Amino acid sequence: MAQPAASPGAAGQQYTTNPPRELPTRRGTELWLLAFATGIVTFAFVLVQANQEQELSWSVVWYGLAYLSILSVAHLAVRKWAPYADPLILPCVALLNGLGLVMIYRIDLAQLAINDEATSNAPRQVLFTVVALVLFLAVLIIIRDHRTLTRYAYTFGLIGIVALALPALLPSSLSEVNGAKVWLKLPGFSIQPGEFAKILLMIFFASFLVAKRDLFMTAGKRILNVELPRARDLGPMIIAAVVCLGILVFQKDLGTALLFFGIVLVMLYVATERIIWVVVGLSMFFVGCLIAYQLFTHVQQRVANWIDPLATYDDPGGGYQIAQGLFGLGTGGMFGTGLGAGRPDTVPESNTDFISAALGEELGFVGLSAILVLYLVLAMRGMRGALAVRDTFGKLLGGGLSFAIVMQVFVIVGGVTKLIPMTGVTTPFLSAGGSSLLANYILVALLLRISDAARRPQQPAKPRPPAQAPIADAHTVMVQRPQPGLDGGHMR
Amino acid sequence: MNTPLRKVGMTMLVMVTLLLVNATYIQVVQADDYRTDGRNRRVLLDEYARERGKIVSDEAGQVLAGVKPTDDTFKFRRTYLDGPMYAPVTGYYSVLYGAGGLERAQDEFLNGSDPRLFVRRLSDMITGRDPRGGNVRLTIQPSVQEAAYNAMVSNGYTGSVVALDPKTGDILGMVSTPSYDPNTLASHVSQEQEDAWAGYNDDPANPMLNRAIRETYPPGSTFKIVTTAAALENGATADTRVTNAPQVTLPGTSATLENYGGATCPGSTLHDALKYSCNTAFAEIAASVGKQKLEATAANFGIGMPDLEIPMSVVPSGLGDLESDAALYQSGIGQRDVRLTPLQDALLAATVANGGIAMKPQLIKALLAPDLSTIEEFTPTELTGDPALSAANADVLKDMMIASEENTSGGGKDASLKIASKTGTAEHGSDPKTTPPHAWYTAFAPYDDPKIAVAVIVQSGGNHGLAATGGTVAAEIARTTIAAGLGGG
């Protein structure tokens, strides 16, 4: 200890072998990509106007400015509060949200042309985007470290289940829109609590699975070479999942049920690293499907519509909508009719459930593929963050959230394109509707937070005190007894 | 935990790949099936954005079906002049229900996608002009159509009138009553369209049925033109002796067939038989001519011809099986299973007027480009290639029809018209004796230089009930139509 107190520089030297360097935050990349997305969306707006009205109107400018300012705020917020976040996530979201806005606006124009009293959805969607942005900012600002979420895991889980159950328990007058009992009608506006429950429950599952992870893998019985967790360890998880699915089946919201099932299965698999969970889960799923098919006529109808929508074309609740969607996709063909030059409004619900059919018609297979790949890029970047983050909770939550994006897309686009039976879930960021947009922006904020944590350089700031030897090995030290008057003696 | 996360990443890749493969299947492999499916309204909607060609009449080029610019998505609305009057000719064109009649038959030309318009489309594209459809000029003469339609409607008759130019086969008028207004179906307000469509389809009077070409009726005595032609072609003359008995027994049965009113025929030559429309004589003539020769002659008149298009498809007329002499007896006077469209009935008179040669009925005179230059003009063609009867025999039959006209009562008689005609009063229904008969009249004029041939059917006797006859009910309509046709030139 002859040296004077260690300088900070010297301490740094101690932890990095190479000369210290600034880790790039890549915010500039993000900005360029956002500008690129803005360019595409602006061009799309102009195309719609040119094809529909044959002239440019001021509304394009307003939508453009609103879109631009929302993006700018989001970008600045990420710069400030999540500087190391993945630079591709926000541009992907911006492009998807922008294309959705363009298509909603475009369908508005078509509907207004037929019926002067048709409601316009585009201004509402802009408003929802603004609210979504506020929530996005709130998540980034309040949750400075995603690990803090684990503290409220059980609370979130409870709120999630209540939110999911609420529409089913409330009278139809307060919860039913177009036959789907998944709403919560408040004065002035309505929300789908299930969209938010999705995220809350994922936080709960992630936290719970991480906490019990070791128990799952070691404390159970071995059956067929597989460690089965004890029921009491898995209990809350199974109860939560079963309650969710029960509620969803009761509400006849098959799409969300499918979504939940997929997410729970994947999170269980990631947490336990046992493929047997997927096998068991899928077997249960198929058995459940068979039972549901036997019991519910609406399930039978969905399946019939899926097998041949043209055959059930004229039946009430039959394949009309899917057939119209397929006609649109077919008419679009390889390269599409061009934005604003198709007839996407022919398909019922073309700005919500069937917006992918509308995009497929006007942008063609090429455009639809680009959008699907965009989702894949978004989810893969989220997954990258999950892989790189150091804590297991972050990994599990990040993986779950990323998978949730792809699962939503798979369920709805698969339904529209007749890959799987049609079930209603929203197309993330594209379809008109507030709840979905809000929830998915929160989801993205969490992904950004996790990827920020993953890429943030580890704090070397606090130099650790020199390693102390265990008490037993510590050498003895002479302790001088302080003596009064000795001070003076030193001075002498 | 990274290994399972990577596997989930792979799963996501697989899921999106599945979506992409499926989208390829839908949008590339199966695209054409979906695009061209009849229930895909997009094709129709695209047409609506284009200026559809006009349907114009022959005389003075009156616009029967035109377009009016609108400010909604469809840009143009179809408009019809005197909708119900011309509906059997023009058909309809509706956003919700597609096209019918000529609008459907000539759809490709009217909407501009016909290859014959390709060069013009190209030049439109280069000059930046919105693509337009081609125009169709019809053979219809508005004066004839109006006279026939008004005569039917003012009497409240259900039935049809068809007027032909016997020399060319041009359809000068084609009326079906009651009719419908295609204007309401062309409305751009869905509710109006739906209401109109439902109203027309629920109406028991079936206003959207084009009776002239889509419905067959027992022709009654007008069919005696065919029976006579068959007899003349097979050796008979005007003076051939025939029975004048008031009734005959159908061979092999105990049923009888009698003359109108149970009367004895006032004459006993073939000429008299047609003049007085003696059933017993024609029943025996048909049997003596025999099944094969009767069928051959009928075929040369166009009866039984499949796939006739004017260009709307015409349901085939027919004689039935003629499986026995009894059947021949009844068929010889246009009963039993003999069924003709009004168009085919008009062809009977037209064929006689044209010296025995049936001309192919045609509704379209010419196809015109959007700039009204002629793209294709239709030339008259023979219908069957074989004359139904020789020119000499046609003259003999014409004389008989002149005599028949002299013997026919009914309104609208005018010596200056010089009509040759044959009436018909056809029993029908499950209880023919108490069901008012169909009243027929088929004629051509002027007999020395035929310019127009007409057939009229008034279903179930019009307002005359059981007492209805071709002469009292249908003749006046036809004479009015002929007068309009000859007056119009």
Side-chain angles (χ1 to χ4, degrees):
Chain A
M1 296 310 275
Q3 276 186 330
S7 71
Q13 211 73 40
Q14 208 176 331
Y15 292 97
T16 45
T17 47
N18 293 325
R21 61 189 172 94
E22 266 312 283
L23 207 84
T25 58
R26 302 276 183 222
R27 293 276 69 80
T29 313
E30 184 181 84
L31 189 59
W32 279 112
L33 287 172
L34 282 173
F36 180 62
T38 313
I40 292 178
V41 171
T42 311
F43 184 58
F45 259 126
V46 171
L47 273 181
V48 165
Q49 282 274 336
N51 275 326
Q52 281 284 299
E53 315 244 310
Q54 320 281 317
E55 61 183 76
L56 293 177
S57 77
W58 281 105
S59 56
V60 169
V61 178
W62 296 127
Y63 286 122
L65 285 178
Y67 176 71
L68 203 60
S69 48
I70 289 166
L71 282 193
S72 312
V73 172
H75 173 68
L76 291 175
V78 171
R79 237 176 222 281
K80 174 108 177 67
W81 286 294
Y84 292 95
D86 192 293
L88 244 62
I89 291 180
L90 195 58
C92 283
V93 170
L95 190 49
L96 288 168
N97 194 0
L99 286 177
L101 204 55
V102 169
M103 187 43 76
I104 292 162
Y105 173 69
R106 186 252 168 281
I107 291 166
D108 276 355
L109 286 184
Q111 286 177 345
L112 280 172
I114 298 168
N115 177 9
D116 288 338
E117 283 156 29
T119 52
S120 358
N121 289 296
R124 284 178 63 220
Q125 189 74 358
V126 172
L127 190 69
F128 286 139
T129 313
V130 172
V131 179
L133 181 73
V134 171
L135 286 177
F136 175 84
L137 293 180
V139 171
L140 279 189
I141 294 168
I142 296 170
I143 303 165
R144 305 304 288 269
D145 184 341
H146 59 271
R147 283 169 295 189
T148 52
L149 290 170
T150 54
R151 288 185 213 154
Y152 311 103
Y154 281 85
T155 320
F156 284 153
L158 193 66
I159 298 174
I161 287 184
V162 169
L164 209 54
L166 208 53
L169 301 175
L170 288 175
S172 290
S173 62
L174 290 174
S175 66
E176 193 168 321
V177 176
N178 292 337
K181 210 168 176 302
V182 293
W183 294 84
L184 192 57
K185 288 199 213 168
L186 301 172
F189 67 104
S190 308
I191 56 168
Q192 277 177 287
E195 292 282 351
F196 301 96
K198 175 177 69 194
I199 294 174
L200 292 174
L201 287 168
M202 278 167 79
I203 294 172
F204 164 70
F205 288 148
S207 167
F208 179 83
L209 285 169
V210 166
K212 304 274 178 164
R213 192 165 169 248
D214 295 338
L215 284 171
F216 285 171
M217 294 207 260
T218 53
K221 291 178 190 149
R222 280 180 77 87
I223 296 174
L224 293 174
N225 244 356
V226 177
E227 299 282 355
L228 285 183
R230 292 180 299 182
R232 65 175 158 199
D233 296 331
L234 205 55
M237 174 94 186
I238 288 178
I239 290 168
V242 166
V243 166
C244 294
L245 291 175
I247 291 164
L248 293 168
V249 170
F250 180 65
Q251 287 169 334
K252 298 188 179 177
D253 189 356
L254 302 170
T256 313
L258 186 58
L259 186 65
F260 263 95
F261 197 85
I263 292 170
V264 171
L265 214 56
V266 158
M267 291 180 80
L268 207 54
Y269 166 65
V270 172
T272 59
E273 303 188 20
R274 293 278 188 276
I275 195 73
I276 189 71
W277 287 110
V278 180
V279 176
V280 169
L282 285 179
S283 325
M284 273 167 59
F285 177 73
F286 283 118
V287 171
C289 284
L290 286 177
I291 294 170
Y293 184 80
Q294 298 294 327
L295 289 182
F296 302 116
T297 49
H298 68 275
V299 177
Q300 289 163 12
Q301 193 165 39
R302 294 282 174 96
V303 172
N305 293 347
W306 169 54
I307 290 167
D308 191 356
L310 296 178
T312 59
Y313 187 81
D314 293 318
D315 300 351
Y320 175 81
Q321 190 181 24
I322 293 174
Q324 286 298 332
L326 292 173
F327 291 159
L329 289 168
T331 308
M334 193 75 172
F335 298 104
T337 58
L339 263 177
R343 298 280 175 184
D345 52 306
T346 317
V347 188
E349 307 294 336
S350 54
N351 56 11
T352 53
D353 285 4
F354 275 72
I355 198 159
S356 45
L359 287 160
E361 177 179 352
E362 296 211 321
L363 299 178
F365 169 69
V366 173
L368 187 62
S369 308
I371 288 169
L372 292 175
V373 169
L374 210 53
Y375 278 118
L376 187 64
V377 170
L378 172 62
M380 282 303 191
R381 296 307 288 202
M383 191 55 90
R384 208 180 111 113
L387 279 168
V389 83
R390 294 170 195 84
D391 66 298
T392 47
F393 170 71
K395 280 182 187 300
L396 197 47
L397 182 60
L401 293 173
S402 305
F403 182 76
I405 295 173
V406 170
M407 189 71 191
Q408 284 183 78
V409 174
F410 184 77
V411 170
I412 185 64
V413 178
V416 169
T417 59
K418 208 170 85 75
L419 180 64
I420 57 171
M422 181 70 199
T423 54
V425 295
T426 54
T427 323
F429 305 110
L430 284 179
S431 56
S435 305
S436 158
L437 199 64
L438 266 50
N440 281 307
Y441 260 95
I442 293 173
L443 189 157
V444 162
L446 289 174
L447 274 186
L448 284 173
R449 173 53 69 223
I450 291 168
S451 75
D452 177 57
R455 295 184 68 244
R456 189 185 290 273
Q458 274 182 306
Q459 300 284 330
K462 284 185 218 157
R464 260 182 261 163
Q468 281 186 326
I471 289 283
D473 297 342
H475 47 84
T476 51
V477 180
M478 287 282 285
V479 179
Q480 281 188 326
R481 190 180 294 170
Q483 288 176 351
L486 207 71
D487 295 69
H490 272 283
M491 298 295 283
R492 263 183 292 170
Chain B
M1 238 187 228
N2 281 0
T3 313
L5 278 179
R6 286 207 176 85
K7 283 183 180 161
V8 172
M10 285 304 295
T11 311
M12 302 196 311
L13 192 66
V14 169
M15 287 164 86
V16 174
T17 308
L18 277 175
L19 288 177
L20 287 172
V21 169
N22 188 53
T24 315
Y25 182 63
I26 298 286
Q27 291 200 275
V28 181
V29 181
Q30 284 196 318
D32 273 341
D33 293 347
Y34 288 125
R35 198 188 345 251
T36 54
D37 192 292
R39 290 168 287 195
N40 186 355
R41 286 176 58 232
R42 286 169 183 79
V43 182
L44 185 70
L45 290 169
D46 273 348
E47 286 171 25
Y48 265 85
R50 221 180 291 162
E51 186 176 342
R52 193 174 172 83
K54 299 183 181 73
I55 300 175
V56 298
S57 72
D58 188 26
E59 201 178 295
Q62 212 163 6
V63 178
L64 306 181
V67 286
K68 190 177 73 178
T70 61
D71 49 9
D72 55 30
T73 28
F74 302 136
K75 292 188 185 164
F76 296 101
R77 183 191 158 152
R78 200 64 160 160
T79 56
Y80 295 92
L81 176 82
D82 291 324
M85 183 186 293
Y86 288 101
V89 175
T90 58
Y92 61 87
Y93 187 66
S94 155
V95 183
L96 291 180
Y97 304 105
L102 190 74
E103 292 272 30
R104 177 148 83 189
Q106 285 295 308
D107 191 39
E108 289 208 335
F109 196 81
L110 289 166
N111 73 33
S113 59
D114 191 283
R116 283 168 289 189
L117 291 168
F118 178 73
V119 180
R120 268 122 184 139
R121 270 211 312 276
L122 215 61
S123 79
D124 277 351
M125 211 161 78
I126 292 162
T127 54
R129 181 195 260 285
D130 280 339
R132 292 174 296 168
N135 301 308
V136 175
R137 183 194 280 156
L138 301 181
T139 55
I140 291 289
Q141 291 194 8
S143 54
V144 173
Q145 183 80 7
E146 276 168 36
Y149 181 76
N150 290 335
M152 290 292 278
V153 169
S154 62
N155 285 301
Y157 290 160
T158 298
S160 174
V161 181
V162 177
L164 299 169
D165 182 331
K167 297 193 178 90
T168 60
D170 286 358
I171 297 174
L172 306 174
M174 184 162 74
V175 164
S176 173
T177 55
S179 190
Y180 65 99
D181 189 355
N183 281 307
T184 54
L185 294 177
S187 165
H188 285 183
V189 180
S190 320
Q191 193 60 47
E192 270 176 35
Q193 272 190 66
E194 283 167 23
D195 290 348
W197 182 262
Y200 295 144
N201 279 294
D202 295 346
D203 190 338
N206 206 353
M208 289 186 73
L209 173 67
N210 188 349
R211 293 168 180 79
I213 56 170
R214 300 297 306 169
E215 182 72 299
T216 58
Y217 304 90
S221 300
T222 58
F223 187 73
K224 288 170 185 169
I225 292 173
V226 177
T227 314
T228 308
L232 292 173
E233 282 296 288
N234 291 287
T237 66
D239 299 324
T240 300
R241 310 297 294 181
V242 295
T243 180
N244 64 350
Q247 65 175 49
V248 291
T249 306
L250 296 180
T253 72
S254 58
T256 58
L257 184 151
E258 52 190 35
N259 286 337
Y260 185 72
T264 303
C265 198
S268 54
T269 63
L270 180 56
H271 185 276
D272 295 329
L274 193 79
K275 178 178 179 181
Y276 299 111
S277 196
C278 303
N279 291 340
T280 53
F282 282 99
E284 289 191 0
I285 292 168
S288 65
V289 167
K291 169 181 168 158
Q292 278 181 342
K293 287 172 179 168
L294 186 66
E295 278 176 342
T297 302
N300 290 335
F301 274 98
I303 296 171
M305 191 174 184
D307 309 325
L308 175 61
E309 290 179 343
I310 64 166
M312 296 96 97
S313 71
V314 180
V315 292
S317 302
L319 299 183
D321 286 340
L322 305 179
E323 73 277 13
S324 63
D325 271 359
L328 270 172
Y329 266 52
Q330 289 174 305
S331 303
I333 61 166
Q335 295 284 175
R336 199 167 171 114
D337 295 328
V338 182
R339 293 183 76 86
L340 303 187
T341 57
L343 175 73
Q344 179 60 56
D345 207 68
L347 269 172
L348 302 184
T351 304
V352 176
N354 195 38
I357 297 166
M359 300 302 289
K360 183 177 181 297
Q362 182 58 255
L363 192 57
I364 296 181
K365 194 116 188 177
L367 298 176
L368 311 174
D371 59 8
L372 298 180
S373 60
T374 305
I375 286 184
E376 187 173 340
E377 210 153 355
F378 285 87
T379 46
T381 50
E382 289 183 22
L383 179 62
T384 57
D386 291 312
L389 66 172
S390 67
N393 282 337
D395 280 341
V396 173
L397 187 45
K398 180 168 78 180
D399 286 341
M400 295 183 192
M401 287 174 71
I402 294 168
S404 169
E405 171 66 10
E406 282 163 4
N407 190 44
T408 301
S409 58
K413 278 214 165 191
D414 181 347
S416 68
L417 293 178
K418 297 199 268 187
I419 294 174
S421 76
K422 182 71 199 86
T423 56
T425 306
E427 291 181 340
H428 65 101
S430 52
D431 186 6
K433 296 297 169 201
T434 58
T435 310
H438 292 323
W440 283 94
Y441 182 87
T442 182
F444 64 89
Y447 54 70
D448 45 3
D449 176 24
K451 288 193 165 65
I452 182 170
V454 177
V456 172
I457 177 174
V458 176
Q459 271 179 242
S460 300
N463 50 14
H464 286 62
L466 283 170
T469 63
T472 55
V473 179
E476 184 175 1
I477 309 273
R479 287 172 186 143
T480 311
T481 307
I482 289 169
L486 296 181

